[in-house]
């Protein structure tokens, strides 16, 4: 928080420590609405993955970790607004309140970096399940994962070493030479956050259009993933208020209130959007149960559980009837359509053969 010059201090009204103006209860209403929804979708996701499909994997566990950090962020945001003065004008706060608010600020920023990073990692890990080996899509997922991981470590370290000693971050009378300017790291972090959010939710769309599916199913899948665009909007609003609070005003607590709102919104909405693809079997419960029971019966299939995505699961369930007519079921877990290297598929068998081959290769790559 920047120290205002004397010319600005002269324009501030007389402090009101008894009955100050506040931002109201809007933040608490928003957060207590989104948090239960986020918790509910994570619980549903794990129920579907473990009980129905019996295919939990690292992306599910990362999402649980992200949910824990998101809960911590939301709780801290509410405390900061209700108890630590981040819903009031800065001139209506005492020095102890300002110091406690700054402690809440660094804790909230830490939890936000942890929550948003683990949400992104969870979504990217889920992409590995549907990304064919050596494909451009897989390389882009790896590149994005590396970027998210590097940004996570860089911003976490920067946050905690920007002041030496760290107590100078919240001690209003500390020497300003103890800290580097707070604005540039925050602005870079919030901007890069928007960029990586957009990259993550745009990555699978070209691959979905390349699937051998009817256009109606392709469009529905694209819409399913594009719901994640909501998180891009939330992170954009947060980036705007970070810039405004750091560079455009000295009333950091009053205008920083919007940062707190969009911080918790971004983390909770990120969890919700990251779980939406995994909830698709809820719309096809009978097929999901049948598919999950077959996969979970090791004695019948004599194979390990698959590391397959809800997208792959649903696509396979949607096309199982058509493939059974063209390819009789054998004793193996996956029907293999053998073809010599020079043989070319003909007629209507082309789409199904190519699709079966792609699904087979992806499933083989992710066996437990």
């Amino acid at each position: 928080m920047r120290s205002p010059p004397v010319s600005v201090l002269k324009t501030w009204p007389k402090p009101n420590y008894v009955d100050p103006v506040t931002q109201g209860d809007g933040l608490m209403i928003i957060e207590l609405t989104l948090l239960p929804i986020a918790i509910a979708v994570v619980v549903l996701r794990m129920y579907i993955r473990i009980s129905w499909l019996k295919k939990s994997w690292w992306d599910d566990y990362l999402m649980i970790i992200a949910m824990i950090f998101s809960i911590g962020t939301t709780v801290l945001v509410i405390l900061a607004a209700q108890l630590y003065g981040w819903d009031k004008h800065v001139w209506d706060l005492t020095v102890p309140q300002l110091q406690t608010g700054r402690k809440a600020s660094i804790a909230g920023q830490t939890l936000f970096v942890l929550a948003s990073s683990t949400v992104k990692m969870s979504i990217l890990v889920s992409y590995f399940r549907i990304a064919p080996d050596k494909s451009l899509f897989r390389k882009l997922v790896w590149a994005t994962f590396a970027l998210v991981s590097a940004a996570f470590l860089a911003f976490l370290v920067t946050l905690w070493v920007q002041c030496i000693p760290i107590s100078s971050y919240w001690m209003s009378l500390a020497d300003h030479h103890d800290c580097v300017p707070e604005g540039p790291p925050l602005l870079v972090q919030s901007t890069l956050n928007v960029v990586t959010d957009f990259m993550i939710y745009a990555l699978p769309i070209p691959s979905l259009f390349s699937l051998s599916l009817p256009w109606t199913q392709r469009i529905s899948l694209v819409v399913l993933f594009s719901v994640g665009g909501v998180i891009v909007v939330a992170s954009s609003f947060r980036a705007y208020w970070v810039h405004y609070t750091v560079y455009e005003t000295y009333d950091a607590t009053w205008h920083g209130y919007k940062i707190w709102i969009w911080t918790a919104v971004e983390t909770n909405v990120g969890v919700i959007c990251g779980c939406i693809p995994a909830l698709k079997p809820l719309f096809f419960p009978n097929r999901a149960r049948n598919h999950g029971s077959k996969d979970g019966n090791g004695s019948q299939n004599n194979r390990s559980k698959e590391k397959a995505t809800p997208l792959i699961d649903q696509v396979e369930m949607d096309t199982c009837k058509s493939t059974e007519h063209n390819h009789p079921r054998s004793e193996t877990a996956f029907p293999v359509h053998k073809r010599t290297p020079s043989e070319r598929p003909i007629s209507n068998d082309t789409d199904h053969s190519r699709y079966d081959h792609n699904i087979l290769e992806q499933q083989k790559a992710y066996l437990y």
Side-chain angles (χ1 to χ4, degrees):
M1 185 171 63
R2 296 182 301 163
S3 299
V6 176
S7 58
V8 173
L9 289 173
K10 291 181 178 180
T11 64
W12 285 1
K14 184 180 179 180
N16 181 0
Y17 300 135
V18 179
D19 186 24
V21 178
T22 67
Q23 293 272 13
D25 297 327
L27 183 145
M28 180 176 289
I29 294 172
I30 293 173
E31 307 308 343
L32 293 183
T33 300
L34 290 176
L35 182 61
I37 297 175
I39 295 174
V41 297
V42 172
V43 171
L44 284 174
R45 173 191 181 127
M46 298 310 299
Y47 175 72
I48 292 171
R49 300 294 296 170
I50 295 176
S51 298
W52 284 19
L53 303 178
K54 296 179 171 54
K55 295 178 182 177
S56 60
W57 199 39
W58 289 108
D59 57 329
D60 302 306
Y61 307 138
L62 282 169
M63 191 59 74
I64 293 176
I65 296 174
M67 185 70 257
I68 294 173
F69 289 135
S70 184
I71 292 173
T73 303
T74 303
V75 170
L76 188 64
V77 163
I78 294 174
L79 290 175
Q82 298 298 315
L83 302 178
Y84 305 148
W86 283 82
D87 63 338
K88 302 178 179 68
H89 290 289
V90 67
W91 51 78
D92 289 332
L93 298 176
T94 63
V95 171
Q97 285 179 311
L98 286 171
Q99 292 179 352
T100 303
R102 291 288 285 174
K103 292 178 182 178
S105 175
I106 194 170
Q109 291 179 63
T110 301
L111 287 170
F112 170 75
V113 171
L114 291 169
S116 62
S117 298
T118 47
V119 166
K120 294 172 186 177
M121 291 176 183
S122 172
I123 296 172
L124 289 169
V125 169
S126 72
Y127 289 170
F128 284 128
R129 298 161 133 185
I130 61 175
D133 289 337
K134 299 181 181 180
S135 65
L136 177 61
F137 177 41
R138 193 176 187 86
K139 293 176 182 178
L140 290 174
V141 173
W142 270 118
T144 307
F145 189 89
L147 178 60
V148 170
S149 301
F152 161 67
L153 293 174
F155 292 130
L156 203 59
V157 171
T158 302
L159 179 63
W160 283 92
V161 301
Q162 61 182 310
C163 293
I164 300 177
I166 189 61
S167 60
S168 296
Y169 184 86
W170 56 78
M171 297 298 292
S172 58
L173 300 179
D175 188 349
H176 67 278
H177 294 295
D178 293 342
C179 302
V180 298
E182 186 178 11
L186 280 175
L187 193 59
V188 171
Q189 189 269 343
S190 58
T191 302
L192 187 58
N193 198 45
V194 177
V195 173
T196 52
D197 282 338
F198 177 79
M199 291 172 61
I200 287 171
Y201 291 104
L203 275 174
I205 294 179
S207 297
L208 294 178
F209 270 113
S210 67
L211 291 175
S212 300
L213 295 172
W215 275 100
T216 54
Q217 293 187 32
R218 295 187 192 184
I219 293 174
S220 66
L221 289 173
V222 170
V223 171
L224 189 67
F225 278 93
S226 297
V227 173
V230 176
I231 194 63
V232 179
V233 175
S235 60
S236 298
F237 275 109
R238 181 179 180 276
Y240 168 78
W241 284 110
V242 166
H243 175 270
Y244 186 87
T245 303
V246 172
Y247 290 106
E248 303 295 332
T249 183
Y250 290 99
D251 193 0
T253 53
W254 184 263
H255 295 287
Y257 181 85
K258 279 84 172 181
I259 300 177
W260 286 110
I261 290 179
W262 290 110
T263 293
V265 167
E266 183 177 347
T267 53
N268 286 312
V269 173
V271 170
I272 294 170
C273 293
C275 290
I276 285 178
L279 302 184
K280 191 177 180 183
L282 287 176
F283 301 99
F284 305 92
N286 293 329
R287 280 186 272 181
R289 287 193 185 96
N290 294 335
H291 190 70
S293 63
K294 288 189 294 182
D295 290 337
N297 192 343
S299 60
Q300 177 183 350
N301 295 316
N302 193 26
R303 62 182 177 87
S304 302
K305 294 185 291 182
E306 305 166 43
K307 296 177 182 177
T309 57
L311 173 61
I312 293 294
D313 299 335
Q314 194 57 53
V315 168
E316 185 178 6
M317 288 188 286
D318 290 341
T319 58
C320 63
K321 292 185 178 181
S322 62
T323 56
E324 284 177 358
H325 288 298
N326 293 332
H327 307 290
R329 186 176 298 276
S330 64
E331 294 181 356
T332 60
F334 304 105
V336 181
H337 186 76
K338 296 182 179 179
R339 183 184 294 123
T340 60
S342 60
E343 182 181 352
R344 297 173 58 88
I346 59 176
S347 186
N348 294 332
D349 187 57
T350 304
D351 290 338
H352 287 304
S353 299
R354 184 185 298 114
Y355 173 74
D356 292 341
H357 177 73
N358 290 340
I359 294 297
L360 174 63
E361 292 302 319
Q362 293 174 21
Q363 289 175 329
K364 280 183 177 180
Y366 300 109
L367 291 176
Y368 278 108

